[in-house]
Amino acid sequence: MDRDQLAAVFYGTGPVPVVWATDCPVRFDVWNAFAAANGDVPPRRVDVILAINEEHGTRKVLQELHKVQMPDANPLASGSFVSAVMTLEELVRAVLPMTNLASLVATAQGLSAAAEADVRRGVSPPAVPMSTPSSEERVQERARQLVWLVRVLATVVHGARQPRESKARARPPVAAYTEAFRLLRTAVVDRAVTQAPGNPRSKVIDRRQRYPVVSVTLNRTASTAVTRSRITVKADAAEQLFDVDCSSIGWAVVDSGVDVTHPAFYEWWPRPDSVRPEWDRGPTRVVRCLDFVGARRRLSLDATDNGLVDWVRALPYLEVQLPELPLPEPPPYPPPADYEPPKNPHGTHVAGIIGAHWPEQQFAGLCPNIKLYDFRVLGEDGRGDEFSIVAALQAIRHINEQAGRIVIAGANVSLSVPHDVATHSCGWTPVCVEADRLVRSGVVVVTAAGNSGFSGVMRTTGGGYQTLSISDPGNADSVITVGSTHRSDPHRHGVSYFSGRGPTADGRSKPDLLAPGEDIDGPVLGGGIAAMHGTSQAAAHVSGAAAMLVARYRELLGRPERVKDILCSTATDLGREKAFQGSGLLDVLRAMQSI
């Protein structure tokens, strides 16, 4: 079904969306995914994320999902989010009764045949049962909302029944309404599930707190979004003037994977008494590798507590044994997976900007002796899913908590998850919520602004540039969101044409900083060096700068808000619009001198 057809039903055709659309826990993108033409093949399964009300807890939601027996949905809970691959019937049967649509579903189940006929015609049924005494206006409003919900569901059913590559007519037939009512009758409505937590006798009840499932969104697709550029951000001058040793700093690269066999990621020690510079190779500086690609599939029931991720049990199932490093004693169970170099070069390139060191090629990143953690969330095609990123960010918190100190001081998340402004509250999507939590735990989180600043043809008379083009998790409030500028002449060239521009959809100032992102040298697969460009490369410069700050001034460890404030307040103004440049160009030397 055409997206616009469903949007007209869901949002209405007026200048302002109908109130039920903005309050609907199942977001439009989920309905749209289920409405895609599927023909007569088995029912379509859609990968969704349930945001859970923490007052109820994910364990309670998992228990309810298991009760209705959905063996192929494979629900997996991590933190306050549950990922599952559901059919439309499973969504209606198991999830809607745990949302603020629960009472409406129960109302639909109690309709007479005549009332169902009224709903099909778009007429509010004359008598809608209410669970509590209500005014006439409230009864009429509930009846109109019921007509809206059934029409949305019937439209989705009608769209899904069409042969693939075909378009459905806008108004669903009687058969689609019949199926919609059948789906609603299958829903397992249990009033005890939506009881408000806390004291039931309290007279002050926030109705939003009654429901275990706050929202249902798509498990969105994520994608990928240096020696010359070190001079641009004055990292070379800062390194010469300040004694900066990053060897005790750990930094996570949440990306497509780091090639630990690349010479740029080894320790290199100068040979004593050699006539010309010669180097001995030491161990890799990539100290740990965890593979979150397809995390839901990799984490079997043995790794979870009835579907709820227990990171103590789960991490061994995601561990990858790095080459040249011995297995711990006693050998862990399950044994770590054998190491395979990543198939996509993006993560290796980004990690190199942060911390490469290859003296034979006179190549260095911003922090040549930093320790790197490889968190793989993107596959060989450079694509992944939102839940895998959420799980990786939660795992970083767990690793720090288990160590009793901050062993991973920062995380570079050079990824782009498109943000649908009509579907999600800006900055409150699952990946943004988890990024903010990681910052509050004491970890610096650096993200890319995204590469959607321009969507026109390459030859333009001024059109095609996009404001409000920051992608997630760059929309999260507390992360450092980085846009791109020229690698060596930022004052002349200003903001890169592709760099995501602010403000955010809810009016907050983003990006926070600019850094070089055009034709940046970095290590690539196969042991070489090549240039890439994008806000991903720009974000890596800021990660390196943040790591240098924390290494030089240890009091900043665990204070990511202060690190962000220092980097932004010492940036160089390029004289561009704030929505384009944020605070300006990263200046590592000035940041060091400001403390």
Side-chain angles (χ1 to χ4, degrees):
M1 168 166 286
D2 185 83
R3 178 186 175 95
D4 292 339
Q5 290 179 332
L6 182 60
V9 176
F10 186 79
Y11 292 112
T13 55
V16 178
V18 298
V19 64
W20 309 303
T22 57
D23 199 37
C24 183
V26 182
R27 306 301 193 220
F28 173 77
D29 58 353
V30 176
W31 293 120
N32 189 53
F34 279 117
N38 201 41
D40 296 327
V41 300
R44 179 189 302 276
R45 288 192 171 274
V46 174
D47 200 349
V48 298
I49 294 178
L50 315 181
I52 309 304
N53 182 340
E54 294 183 359
E55 294 293 326
H56 289 267
T58 50
R59 189 180 299 276
K60 177 179 179 180
V61 172
L62 281 175
Q63 290 171 349
E64 295 301 319
L65 293 178
H66 291 312
K67 282 181 184 178
V68 296
Q69 297 182 355
M70 303 182 298
D72 296 327
N74 194 19
L76 181 67
S78 184
S80 60
F81 301 104
V82 175
S83 174
V85 185
M86 293 184 166
T87 63
L88 180 61
E89 181 167 343
E90 290 170 343
L91 177 78
V92 174
R93 180 160 52 99
V95 177
L96 290 194
M98 290 190 284
T99 70
N100 62 13
L101 296 175
S103 60
L104 203 64
V105 172
T107 298
Q109 293 177 339
L111 290 180
S112 64
E116 289 186 5
D118 287 338
V119 173
R120 283 197 297 269
R121 293 195 304 270
V123 178
S124 299
V128 174
M130 301 288 286
S131 58
T132 59
S134 304
S135 65
E136 181 63 25
E137 292 80 4
R138 176 62 179 144
V139 172
Q140 292 177 1
E141 179 189 358
R142 174 53 62 92
R144 291 193 297 271
Q145 186 180 7
L146 179 61
V147 171
W148 171 84
L149 176 63
V150 174
R151 187 183 177 197
V152 168
L153 189 53
T155 304
V156 170
V157 169
H158 179 50
R161 286 181 169 182
Q162 303 308 303
R164 295 190 178 188
E165 309 301 329
S166 68
K167 290 186 177 181
R169 62 178 183 173
R171 185 168 181 80
V174 172
Y177 276 98
T178 301
E179 175 64 9
F181 279 114
R182 186 196 71 79
L183 291 174
L184 290 170
R185 284 193 293 271
T186 67
V188 183
V189 181
D190 182 356
R191 294 180 63 86
V193 174
T194 57
Q195 285 294 323
N199 183 2
R201 294 175 293 180
S202 173
K203 296 181 179 180
V204 182
I205 297 178
D206 183 349
R207 64 180 178 84
R208 294 168 298 180
Q209 296 296 323
R210 288 180 53 192
Y211 306 102
V213 177
V214 177
S215 66
V216 183
T217 61
L218 280 184
N219 188 6
R220 297 173 294 164
T221 299
S223 59
T224 59
V226 174
T227 53
R228 291 175 292 180
S229 56
R230 293 182 88 238
I231 299 173
T232 304
V233 298
K234 302 180 187 175
D236 59 328
E239 191 175 51
Q240 293 177 19
L241 289 175
F242 293 90
D243 182 17
V244 182
D245 180 6
C246 294
S247 61
S248 62
I249 301 297
W251 212 266
V253 180
V254 184
D255 212 289
S256 64
V258 180
D259 184 1
V260 302
T261 64
H262 196 290
F265 298 113
Y266 286 111
E267 297 272 11
W268 290 99
W269 298 314
R271 291 180 181 173
D273 304 325
S274 58
V275 178
R276 58 179 183 177
E278 294 182 345
W279 302 82
D280 289 323
R281 196 194 81 180
T284 179
R285 288 181 291 110
V286 181
V287 297
R288 196 169 184 181
C289 177
L290 294 164
D291 190 354
F292 291 84
V293 178
R296 187 174 53 234
R297 182 184 65 256
R298 297 167 65 89
L299 294 175
S300 66
L301 287 178
D302 292 338
T304 63
D305 181 5
N306 199 26
L308 179 64
V309 171
D310 175 357
W311 285 113
V312 174
R313 293 162 58 182
L315 280 185
Y317 288 81
L318 304 172
E319 201 85 42
V320 176
Q321 179 63 32
L322 295 175
E324 302 182 13
L325 293 183
L327 277 171
E329 293 292 342
Y333 179 84
D338 293 334
Y339 176 80
E340 292 184 8
K343 303 294 192 302
N344 186 285
H346 188 268
T348 299
H349 197 270
V350 165
I353 297 170
I354 299 172
H357 182 216
W358 195 0
E360 292 179 350
Q361 297 294 325
Q362 297 183 338
F363 180 82
L366 271 74
C367 308
N369 59 354
I370 196 171
K371 299 297 188 292
L372 297 170
Y373 288 75
D374 180 7
F375 285 73
R376 299 186 179 188
V377 297
L378 303 180
E380 59 184 76
D381 59 353
R383 300 170 72 83
D385 63 76
E386 185 174 11
F387 185 77
S388 295
I389 304 170
V390 168
L393 299 181
Q394 291 176 1
I396 294 173
R397 279 197 289 139
H398 167 76
I399 290 171
N400 283 340
E401 289 168 0
Q402 288 296 104
R405 60 188 180 90
I406 299 179
V407 294
I408 301 179
N412 189 90
V413 191
S414 287
L415 308 172
S416 178
V417 183
H419 173 236
D420 187 336
V421 296
T423 299
H424 304 88
S425 296
C426 187
W428 289 95
T429 58
V431 70
C432 287
V433 169
E434 206 55 53
D436 279 331
R437 286 175 179 159
L438 185 56
V439 172
R440 289 196 298 271
S441 75
V443 177
V444 177
V445 178
V446 182
T447 69
N451 299 334
S452 300
F454 183 81
S455 61
V457 295
M458 287 298 101
R459 295 182 179 180
T460 177
T461 57
Y465 289 94
Q466 304 291 315
T467 56
L468 281 80
S469 52
I470 304 292
S471 58
D472 287 344
N475 282 308
D477 189 54
S478 58
V479 305
I480 305 176
T481 306
V482 187
S484 170
T485 185
H486 193 267
R487 68 178 180 275
S488 58
D489 299 315
H491 292 271
R492 173 186 296 175
H493 298 291
V495 183
S496 303
Y497 75 90
F498 54 80
S499 184
R501 292 163 168 79
T504 62
D506 62 342
R508 288 173 290 113
S509 179
K510 289 280 182 177
D512 298 303
L513 284 171
L514 294 180
E518 297 182 23
D519 296 323
I520 307 300
D521 291 333
V524 292
L525 307 181
I529 295 173
M532 298 175 70
H533 70 269
T535 53
S536 293
Q537 281 63 36
H541 283 85
V542 176
S543 276
M548 291 177 71
L549 267 180
V550 173
R552 179 68 177 85
Y553 303 102
R554 299 290 292 186
E555 64 189 283
L556 295 177
L557 184 65
R559 300 177 64 191
E561 297 90 350
R562 179 64 178 141
V563 171
K564 178 180 179 179
D565 179 65
I566 292 170
L567 293 177
C568 290
S569 63
T570 58
T572 300
D573 184 2
L574 298 183
R576 267 63 176 190
E577 287 287 339
K578 185 172 179 59
F580 285 43
Q581 72 162 19
S583 297
L585 174 66
L586 172 70
D587 190 323
V588 181
L589 178 60
R590 188 180 297 160
M592 290 283 196
Q593 291 173 326
S594 71
I595 303 176

